[in-house]
């Protein structure tokens, strides 16, 4: 399922990162790698605040939909 459907406070394992090569590289640099863990901290109108690799990251709905958990 896409990351936008994950529950708040639940830790999920990243199964796949989709999108164009440049998008995947951008997300990898933020810490979104296959097999990594991500937790949704909060959601505001589809946009997410996430915990990934001991950092907080804000992602828009379109980017979060490219990450499958």
């Amino acid at each position: 399922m896409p990351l936008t459907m994950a529950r708040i406070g639940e830790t999920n394992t990243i199964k796949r990162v989709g999108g164009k090569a440049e998008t995947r590289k951008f997300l990898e640099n933020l810490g979104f790698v296959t097999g990594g863990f991500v937790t949704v901290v909060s959601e505001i109108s589809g946009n997410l605040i996430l915990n990934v690799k001991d950092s907080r990251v804000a992602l828009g709905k379109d980017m979060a939909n490219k990450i499958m958990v």
Side-chain angles (χ1 to χ4, degrees), residues 27-65:
L27 291 170
E28 273 182 24
N29 289 336
L30 290 176
F32 297 98
V33 292
T34 303
F37 297 103
V38 62
T39 305
V40 178
V41 176
S42 68
E43 182 263 331
I44 301 166
S45 66
N47 301 317
L48 302 173
I49 305 292
L50 308 162
N51 264 348
V52 62
K53 295 200 175 190
D54 298 326
S55 298
R56 288 218 172 160
V57 178
L59 273 189
K61 187 185 227 179
D62 57 338
M63 282 290 201
N65 276 326

Side-chain angles (χ1 to χ4, degrees), residues 12-30:
N12 295 285
T13 304
I14 299 170
K15 306 283 188 213
R16 185 172 58 86
V17 180
K20 294 181 182 177
E22 59 200 31
T23 304
R24 287 194 310 268
K25 184 70 176 165
F26 173 76
L27 291 170
E28 273 182 24
N29 289 336
L30 290 176

